[in-house]
Amino acid sequence: MALIAMTGCETLENTDTRSTLSPQATRRAAQVVSEGAPGRFAGNGHGRSMVPIYAEGTVVVIQSTDYNKLEKGMVVAYQDKFGAVVVHQLLEKQGSAWIAKGFGNDMIDREPVTRKNLLGVVYATFTPNQAPAK
């Protein structure tokens, strides 16, 4: 597993790291990690709510977890009331639910993370190569 985590990145002189993996190789690497233990699944990220931490097209591996083990700052996946999977960071616990927000969002999520809608925590991420920003 360490080999997979280290493959696909090059360190540039300014310590910037960029993926050298194609989108297909990124998806395959995430699939290998997701099959490494029960309770894991991989999915493609879409949108800009987690920029600058996760770029568009980042593939995340989610690991199911006990709701009682959640902590402030964890990045979790949950299913919203429309059935979409949302991957955002936990900000604070209010009562029995967690308030979450995307790194790139100004506002908190409309729905809290609950015991019923939690899918798991982000276990690993894989970002495909990106064209330099212009």
Side-chain angles (χ1 to χ4, degrees), residues 66-123:
D66 183 331
Y67 187 78
N68 295 322
K69 293 184 178 181
L70 295 180
E71 296 179 12
K72 179 179 178 176
M74 287 181 159
V75 178
V76 301
Y78 69 94
Q79 193 164 27
D80 72 12
K81 65 183 176 184
F82 301 108
V85 175
V86 178
V87 176
H88 284 168
Q89 183 183 39
L90 298 177
L91 297 180
E92 65 178 299
K93 193 166 186 185
Q94 290 186 349
S96 62
W98 283 92
I99 303 304
K101 178 177 140 338
F103 293 118
N105 290 349
D106 293 329
M107 309 230 357
I108 63 171
D109 294 356
R110 292 181 188 172
E111 291 181 51
V113 179
T114 66
R115 187 177 302 279
K116 289 185 179 184
N117 68 6
L118 176 70
L119 298 173
V121 297
V122 172
Y123 178 81

Side-chain angles (χ1 to χ4, degrees), residues 19-40:
S19 175
T20 58
L21 293 176
S22 69
Q24 297 81 9
T26 300
R27 182 75 180 139
R28 282 193 304 272
Q31 194 62 40
V32 167
V33 172
S34 71
E35 292 171 354
R40 288 187 195 158

Side-chain angles (χ1 to χ4, degrees), residues 6 9-10 25 30 45 58 62 64-65 67 72 88 110 117-118 129 134:
M6 299 301 289
C9 285
E10 61 181 86
T58 295
I62 305 301
S64 61
T65 192
Y67 187 78
K72 179 179 178 176
H88 284 168
R110 292 181 188 172
N117 68 6
L118 176 70
N129 59 350
K134 294 183 179 188

Side-chain angles (χ1 to χ4, degrees), residues 37-74:
R40 288 187 195 158
F41 69 94
N44 291 332
H46 299 286
R48 300 193 42 82
S49 69
M50 292 299 280
V51 170
I53 305 301
Y54 303 146
E56 174 73 27
T58 295
V59 180
V60 295
V61 177
I62 305 301
Q63 173 70 56
S64 61
T65 192
D66 183 331
Y67 187 78
N68 295 322
K69 293 184 178 181
L70 295 180
E71 296 179 12
K72 179 179 178 176
M74 287 181 159

